[in-house]
Amino acid sequence: MAPPPPTKKGNVARNHRISSRNGAERSAYFARREAAGVLRRVLQDDAARRATASIKSLVYSPSVRNKKATFALVCQTLKCLPIIKDVLVATQILNSKWKEIAMAGAVEKFLTLHKNKLEYALAKICARRKVKKIEDLLQNNCVPVASKPRYIRINTLKVDAEVVMQELGKTNIMVSRDDIIPDVLSLASGLDLHDHPLVRNGSILLQGKASSMVAVALNPIPGWKVLDACAAPGNKTAHLAALMKGQGKIIACELNEDRLKTLEETIRRSGAPNVDVVHCDFLDINTRDPLFKEVRAILLDPSCSGSGISAERLDHLLPSYEKGEDAAACKSDRVKKLAAFQTKALLHALSFPAVERVVYSTCSVYQTENEDVIKSVLPFAKSLNFELVTPFPQWPHRGLPVFEGAEHLLRTDPKEDTEGFFIALFVKKSGKTNRGSRLSSAKKLTRQKRYTPYPFCKLSAFWFHKRLTKQGSKKIKH
């Protein structure tokens, strides 16, 4: 008996199912493409040991459309990467033609043709390791990550805390206000707000508690000219603008072109009216340039190892990650080079003629990038009448006691409820005693060798710092 002819209603339902299936397949296809692009960047940077962006920042960039699916694919692929490599080696399908296939963009089709061979190799690996399924293979590659609250910062340029708490409450999101930073809210761990309307319109920023402490420590006065020396991705810049109530001027410097775009997007979304983004190297700034000679406060958050946010960055998923490697990493050539750059940048920040407050911060837990940098610049800072001041006196974790005055420094503990951050606050004293001492030292050094005294360029500042350090052990003769 022939089946009944399809009705109009049946055709509509069938077309809807086909359309939905095609839409889902198309979405999955683009998610795979986007995940492949993120993975390529992550693995290339990791192989070169130059992680310029974290997994999360790459996935949640404006260019990625299907963020949730892309993030899941990237994380799962990185978790399975050792097993994937073993399977590919066992099948030996990556032959001489592989590069041609990859160049042609037919990789997914090629792997699908070899699906049976790949599954057979995986089954043999499971049998050899005496496990029944792939999840059991992954157990050895898993690194437990402590559950921490999700922090967000309210953008007071657009909205106040009560409005945000009411909006989040409508979706049954439990919210509590932070007892240290009024504009920071604490939410449940693992909550994904990247697509929330308040995030998309810039009313709230997905910024950690420790990161939010940096701009507050600088405490710029509305109307000042402020410099954010290494500004991307821009969360701290936007926070400065909010603290200054949109008044005065903030100059946000960034050298990297890709990060510059992220910075510009963050500022645009935040609605900050008083930020000028400058594409330049902070170290190349002439401190006497009319654009910079009236800068009163500087936020310096330079490139660092990121060791304090390795869990948030998902570094444990990277091929280069090794358990217990911190002891060696803190003494690595990379960290030493970073510390040399950080020292040079801090010396330069302190040498701006009108600057009164300088905050130095890192998202590192290594002494090399933190206390050691501060200790090395202290003689120079004191010669310019700067002193270390205690930010957030009620905060329990202070600097490592490696020099007198380290108790003024601030650390946050990544094992507790924040990222691992370090903050040092330099404030210029109003008296003139140290200034006279500094000028006297400069004259002595100038008479000895015909160097140019203050004002300093970045090289003369570095030279002067070294000369002052030597004076502590050897008196200069005239």
Side-chain angles (χ1 to χ4, degrees), residues 41-60:
R41 171 80 179 275
V42 166
L43 295 175
Q44 286 175 347
D45 284 358
D46 186 57
R49 299 297 192 274
R50 62 167 199 277
T52 55
S54 69
I55 296 167
K56 284 185 177 179
S57 65
L58 290 171
V59 170
Y60 292 108

Side-chain angles (χ1 to χ4, degrees), residues 277-332:
V277 175
V278 180
H279 184 200
C280 73
D281 184 345
F282 170 64
L283 289 176
D284 287 338
I285 292 175
N286 180 353
T287 60
R288 291 289 180 173
D289 186 297
L291 182 62
F292 301 101
K293 69 178 183 179
E294 296 179 354
V295 166
R296 305 280 293 279
I298 297 177
L299 191 157
L300 175 61
D301 187 56
S303 299
C304 72
S305 64
S307 54
I309 56 169
S310 59
E312 285 73 17
R313 287 173 57 94
L314 304 177
D315 287 353
H316 60 280
L317 296 177
L318 300 175
S320 64
Y321 180 84
E322 294 180 16
K323 297 178 183 178
E325 68 174 358
D326 277 358
C330 67
K331 298 178 181 178
S332 67

Side-chain angles (χ1 to χ4, degrees), residues 271-418:
N274 59 331
V275 177
D276 287 341
V277 175
V278 180
H279 184 200
C280 73
D281 184 345
F282 170 64
L283 289 176
D284 287 338
I285 292 175
N286 180 353
T287 60
R288 291 289 180 173
D289 186 297
L291 182 62
F292 301 101
K293 69 178 183 179
E294 296 179 354
V295 166
R296 305 280 293 279
I298 297 177
L299 191 157
L300 175 61
D301 187 56
S303 299
C304 72
S305 64
S307 54
I309 56 169
S310 59
E312 285 73 17
R313 287 173 57 94
L314 304 177
D315 287 353
H316 60 280
L317 296 177
L318 300 175
S320 64
Y321 180 84
E322 294 180 16
K323 297 178 183 178
E325 68 174 358
D326 277 358
C330 67
K331 298 178 181 178
S332 67
D333 289 340
R334 174 175 176 263
V335 171
K336 289 177 181 177
K337 289 178 181 177
L338 284 167
F341 162 74
Q342 292 153 0
T343 302
K344 190 181 295 186
L346 183 50
L347 287 167
H348 191 48
L350 291 167
S351 70
F352 280 66
V355 70
E356 299 178 29
R357 300 175 69 87
V358 175
V359 157
Y360 171 83
S361 70
T362 72
C363 53
S364 171
V365 295
Y366 299 150
Q367 177 184 324
T368 309
E369 300 177 272
N370 297 334
E371 287 85 0
D372 290 354
V373 170
I374 301 304
K375 183 180 179 181
S376 68
V377 305
L378 266 180
F380 179 69
K382 290 178 179 178
S383 76
L384 298 178
N385 217 22
F386 281 101
E387 62 180 349
L388 284 173
V389 175
T390 307
F392 302 99
Q394 71 275 42
W395 189 256
H397 305 297
R398 311 314 304 188
L400 301 178
V402 294
F403 65 88
E404 186 178 350
E407 68 276 5
H408 295 296
L409 309 175
L410 182 148
R411 277 179 171 266
T412 61
D413 191 345
K415 294 179 181 178
E416 296 184 5
D417 61 348
T418 62

Side-chain angles (χ1 to χ4, degrees), residues 132-159:
K132 294 183 179 180
K133 53 186 184 296
I134 190 172
E135 287 77 12
D136 297 328
L137 288 175
L138 292 174
Q139 291 301 316
N140 296 329
N141 299 323
C142 291
V143 176
V145 178
S147 177
K148 299 178 183 178
R150 151 71 79 182
Y151 288 100
I152 60 174
R153 183 175 64 77
I154 301 163
N155 180 11
T156 54
L157 290 172
K158 287 192 169 185
V159 69

Side-chain angles (χ1 to χ4, degrees), residues 238-256:
H239 198 181
L240 289 172
L243 292 171
M244 295 169 67
K245 299 178 171 50
Q247 302 171 23
K249 180 62 64 179
I250 299 171
I251 304 170
C253 298
E254 180 55 46
L255 178 61
N256 183 280

Side-chain angles (χ1 to χ4, degrees), residues 441 444-445 448-449 466-478:
S441 297
K444 290 176 183 178
L445 293 172
Q448 276 200 319
K449 293 186 178 182
K466 291 199 298 183
R467 296 292 298 176
L468 284 173
T469 304
K470 289 181 180 179
Q471 288 183 58
S473 57
K474 182 179 179 181
K475 187 177 180 181
I476 298 175
K477 297 180 180 179
H478 303 286

